[in-house]
């Protein structure tokens, strides 16, 4: 391997050339490049002074004695001293590059930029829970500004009200959820004339009741009975107007919604949303004879502490019975037969039979292998074996 071959090989190993001052050039034998025009990257002492480089020592250049101690790579042909000189020259160039890099990194502005970048990257790649917490603290928890859009105001109120019954942020992140549809009902649908005040909406009975009814309507596909109009929008200024809607009954004195009679509804198909618990004054909830009603009994039912009558028999509701129903201290009748509910009746509910007001409890607890385990008659008052509604034993 002669000098010319070594130089060509070395040019391939050095895609970046740095030209130094004359004094530095005398100590560093740069390898020429075929494409170099002599004006490659230049970083002289004047550039370094402009960058206000601190005077602290960084990477020292190796002395001649240190260089002479470096082990040369063996050569198959040619002068070994020439190869050693080429390697030494390359080491000197690398040392110079590293020196300039360290000067740049130690610049005060660069340190600040690196710190800011570290914080940004750390925040960006935080856990999903941390990002959700940031979103809650910086968006939904703060009321929209006075100049905010109606969509922003309705979304703020809706998310806060849903959160009170255990609903998270996911249904509000777009898509076709009942929550998004209910918001759209207020923004672009029949409910668009209804005033929205972000400072009072969590305690606004009209907004809360309308929002709950709309979510129930979209969750269970209850069509053409609530809040429909001819295109001009629904004008609601008092609860008494809502009380005149179909299948709704209210207290005569305070106009609270106390009864939803939703049994045997044509086309009902879907689930019972947690937001039904926002109708906190409910006394009667009747959803029986609806085979298209599926899903589970929401634990949020426990917030309906005024509830006295809960009828979900002859439906396709499944899963297990939530123990939180034991919080319904005023419950008198609970009918759950002819459903897909399975498992044991929670002790909390049986306690309502022993110590509370619960007088009638119907369940599929009859037969050698009952689908629901319930002590008769101390807990369940009526046990059924054959599921006549679904055709199951």
């Amino acid at each position: 391997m002669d000098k010319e071959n070594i130089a060509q090989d070395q040019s391939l190993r050095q895609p970046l050339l740095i030209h130094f001052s004359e004094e530095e050039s005398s100590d560093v034998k740069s390898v020429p490049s075929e494409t170099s025009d002599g004006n490659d990257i230049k970083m002289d002492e004047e550039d370094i002074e402009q960058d206000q480089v601190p005077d602290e020592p960084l990477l020292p250049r190796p002395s001649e004695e240190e260089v002479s101690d470096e082990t040369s790579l063996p050569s198959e042909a040619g002068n070994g001293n020439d190869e050693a000189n080429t390697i030494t020259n390359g080491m000197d160039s690398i040392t110079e590059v590293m020196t300039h890099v360290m000067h740049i990194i130690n610049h005060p502005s660069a340190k600040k930029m690196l710190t800011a970048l570290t914080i940004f990257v750390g925040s960006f790649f935080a856990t999903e829970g941390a990002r959700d917490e940031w979103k809650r603290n910086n968006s939904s928890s703060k009321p929209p500004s006075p100049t905010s859009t109606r969509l922003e105001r309705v979304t703020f109120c809706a998310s806060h009200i849903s959160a009170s019954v255990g609903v998270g942020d996911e249904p509000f992140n777009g898509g076709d959820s009942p929550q998004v549809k209910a918001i759209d009902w207020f923004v672009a649908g029949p409910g668009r004339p209804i005033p929205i005040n972000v400072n009072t909406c969590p305690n606004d009975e009209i907004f809360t009741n309308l929002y709950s009814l709309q979510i129930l309507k979209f969750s269970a596909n209850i069509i053409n009975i609530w809040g429909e109009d001819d295109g001009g929008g629904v004008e609601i200024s008092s609860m008494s107007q809502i009380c005149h809607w179909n299948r709704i009954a209210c207290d005569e004195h305070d106009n609270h919604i106390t009864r939803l009679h939703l049994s045997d509804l044509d086309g009902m198909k879907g689930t019972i949303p947690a937001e039904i618990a926002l109708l906190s004054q409910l006394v009667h909830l009747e959803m029986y004879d609806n085979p298209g009603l599926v899903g589970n009994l929401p634990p949020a039912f426990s917030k309906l502490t005024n509830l006295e009558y809960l009828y979900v028999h002859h439906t396709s509701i499944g899963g297990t019975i939530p123990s939180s129903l034991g919080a319904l201290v005023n419950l008198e009748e609970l009918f759950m037969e002819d459903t897909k509910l399975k498992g044991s009746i929670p002790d909390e509910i049986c306690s309502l039979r022993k110590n509370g007001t619960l007088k009638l409890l119907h369940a599929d607890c009859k037969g050698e292998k009952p689908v629901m385990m319930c002590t008769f008659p101390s807990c369940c008052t009526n046990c059924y074996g054959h599921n006549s509604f679904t055709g199951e034993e």
Side-chain angles (χ1 to χ4, degrees):
M1 181 179 297
D2 54 20
K3 293 183 179 180
E4 182 178 354
N5 292 333
I6 293 173
Q8 291 177 352
D9 180 69
Q10 189 66 17
S11 66
L12 296 175
R13 297 168 182 262
Q14 291 187 336
L16 174 66
L17 294 179
I18 299 179
H19 289 255
F20 307 97
S21 62
E22 293 183 358
E23 295 180 359
E24 291 174 321
S25 299
S26 64
D27 296 328
V28 180
K29 300 180 184 298
S30 303
V31 180
S33 170
E34 295 179 359
T35 59
S36 173
D37 59 0
N39 293 317
D40 296 311
I41 301 173
K42 297 181 67 177
M43 296 185 67
D44 55 16
E45 295 179 358
E46 182 179 354
D47 294 329
I48 295 176
E49 289 178 0
Q50 291 178 353
D51 289 338
Q52 299 179 353
V53 179
D55 295 332
E56 57 187 63
L58 297 170
L59 292 179
R61 286 185 55 183
S63 62
E64 293 182 0
E65 292 78 5
E66 291 173 325
V67 172
S68 64
D69 292 336
E70 296 291 338
T71 303
S72 301
L73 297 177
S75 172
E76 295 181 359
N79 191 332
N81 291 334
D82 291 337
E83 292 185 43
N85 290 335
T86 302
I87 294 172
T88 301
N89 292 340
M91 291 178 59
D92 286 346
S93 298
I94 293 173
T95 300
E96 294 291 345
V97 171
M98 291 300 298
T99 300
H100 288 298
V101 170
M102 292 302 295
H103 277 303
I104 294 173
I105 292 178
N106 280 273
H107 192 281
S109 297
K111 289 182 177 180
K112 293 179 181 179
M113 292 177 64
L114 288 173
T115 300
L117 181 60
T118 301
I119 295 174
F120 171 77
V121 172
S123 300
F124 183 80
F125 289 102
T127 62
E128 181 177 357
R131 290 197 300 272
D132 290 343
E133 183 66 21
W134 180 91
K135 181 179 178 181
R136 286 192 292 271
N137 291 338
N138 291 273
S139 57
S140 62
S141 62
K142 298 179 180 179
S145 66
T147 59
S148 61
T149 65
R150 182 174 177 83
L151 174 61
E152 292 172 330
R153 297 196 301 274
V154 173
T155 302
F156 170 81
C157 294
S159 61
H160 273 65
I161 293 174
S162 288
S164 68
V165 290
V167 178
D169 293 335
E170 184 176 355
F172 299 93
N173 294 333
D176 200 31
S177 69
Q179 289 79 5
V180 171
K181 289 181 178 179
I183 291 173
D184 186 64
W185 184 86
F186 282 99
V187 175
R192 59 190 179 278
I194 298 171
I196 303 296
N197 188 329
V198 296
N199 296 316
T200 61
C201 60
N203 300 314
D204 187 332
E205 187 177 17
I206 294 178
F207 178 84
T208 300
N209 280 264
L210 287 173
Y211 176 64
S212 175
L213 292 173
Q214 294 307 311
I215 290 184
L216 177 57
K217 180 178 73 175
F218 292 121
S219 295
N221 194 40
I222 302 173
I223 58 177
N224 298 326
I225 63 171
W226 295 332
E228 308 302 330
D229 72 328
D230 57 3
V234 177
E235 297 284 351
I236 302 291
S237 58
S238 68
M239 281 298 301
S240 62
Q241 294 172 270
I242 302 175
C243 293
H244 286 91
W245 286 359
N246 291 335
R247 295 180 178 258
I248 291 177
C250 295
D251 179 87
E252 294 180 357
H253 302 289
D254 301 319
N255 287 321
H256 298 311
I257 296 177
T258 57
R259 182 175 182 176
L260 289 181
H261 179 60
L262 304 177
S263 62
D264 195 20
L265 269 179
D266 291 336
M268 177 180 275
K269 184 178 181 180
T271 61
I272 304 175
E275 283 87 351
I276 196 173
L278 295 172
L279 305 174
S280 58
Q281 302 300 316
L282 269 183
V283 176
H284 295 255
L285 180 55
E286 304 161 22
M287 307 189 77
Y288 60 90
D289 288 347
N290 289 300
L293 191 60
V294 297
N296 302 326
L297 294 174
F301 265 162
S302 62
K303 295 183 178 294
L304 296 174
T305 54
N306 292 301
L307 197 63
E308 297 178 8
Y309 305 93
L310 177 56
Y311 302 144
V312 293
H313 53 292
H314 296 183
T315 67
S316 299
I317 289 176
T320 59
I321 302 172
S323 60
S324 58
L325 292 186
L328 304 180
V329 294
N330 292 307
L331 193 62
E332 295 184 15
E333 297 181 6
L334 175 57
F335 293 178
M336 302 179 293
E337 74 271 19
D338 288 357
T339 65
K340 293 185 178 182
L341 289 166
K342 297 180 179 181
S344 300
I345 302 292
D347 293 338
E348 291 83 353
I349 295 178
C350 290
S351 295
L352 296 177
R353 278 276 296 134
K354 299 174 183 177
N355 308 315
T357 60
L358 187 58
K359 297 178 176 64
L360 296 176
L361 176 54
H362 296 189
D364 294 325
C365 51
K366 186 178 181 179
E368 293 182 1
K369 296 181 180 180
V371 294
M372 297 186 70
M373 303 300 295
C374 182
T375 304
F376 173 83
S378 60
C379 185
C380 288
T381 61
N382 296 74
C383 283
Y384 298 83
H386 176 72
N387 195 316
S388 59
F389 186 70
T390 62
E392 297 178 356
E393 293 290 343

